[in-house]
């Protein structure tokens, strides 16, 4: 193994620049990347976030997804769907239009 490996890269520390507090499990954009808060992070504070993995995230109402569909973190929300936003990853399973959540594999585009 290389002697310069730090870790698997699935987490990092990021600043919450959303303008509001973020709770653990909530997605937000850090820089140009969608992340999921591992801990509650106050507005303008730093905290540990996930950069990869599979998460159950709130989904846009009435949007149906098939496994493998690309999903975005919808601009101005903490929901995923197909509306304009930052690329969040892919749907890990089908989600019906009436489902409140979707399984998303983060940053797998």
């Amino acid at each position: 193994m290389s002697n310069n490996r730090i870790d698997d890269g699935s987490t990092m520390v990021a600043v919450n620049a959303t303008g509001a507090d973020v709770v653990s499990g909530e997605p937000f954009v850090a820089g140009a990347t969608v992340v999921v808060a591992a801990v509650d992070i106050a507005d303008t504070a730093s905290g540990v976030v996930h950069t990869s993995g599979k998460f159950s995230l709130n989904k846009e109402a009435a949007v149906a997804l098939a496994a493998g569909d690309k999903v975005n973190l919808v601009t101005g929300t903490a929901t995923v769907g197909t509306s304009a936003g930052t690329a969040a990853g892919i749907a890990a399973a089908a989600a019906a239009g009436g489902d409140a959540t979707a399984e998303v594999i983060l940053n797998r585009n």
Side-chain angles (χ1 to χ4, degrees), residues 24-27 36 53-59 78-80 90 92 95 99-106:
S24 177
E26 187 174 358
V36 173
K54 183 165 55 169
F55 296 88
S56 176
L57 301 174
N58 290 333
K59 181 184 70 62
T79 60
V80 294
I90 61 170
D99 292 347
T101 61
E103 291 183 13
V104 175
I105 301 173
L106 202 59

Side-chain angles (χ1 to χ4, degrees), residues 34-109:
V34 173
V35 297
V36 173
V39 296
D40 294 348
I41 308 171
D43 185 35
T44 72
S46 296
V48 176
V49 297
H50 298 280
T51 59
S52 62
K54 183 165 55 169
F55 296 88
S56 176
L57 301 174
N58 290 333
K59 181 184 70 62
E60 281 184 294
V63 170
L65 298 170
D69 282 353
K70 291 184 178 187
V71 296
N72 297 325
L73 182 63
V74 179
T75 302
T77 73
T79 60
V80 294
T82 56
S83 294
T86 303
I90 61 170
D99 292 347
T101 61
E103 291 183 13
V104 175
I105 301 173
L106 202 59
N107 295 314
R108 179 85 47 89
N109 298 316

Side-chain angles (χ1 to χ4, degrees), residues 5-33:
R5 184 177 190 275
I6 298 168
D7 63 30
D8 67 5
S10 64
T11 63
M12 67 181 197
V13 174
V15 173
N16 171 9
T18 65
D21 293 350
V22 173
V23 298
S24 177
E26 187 174 358
F28 68 98
V29 178
T33 303

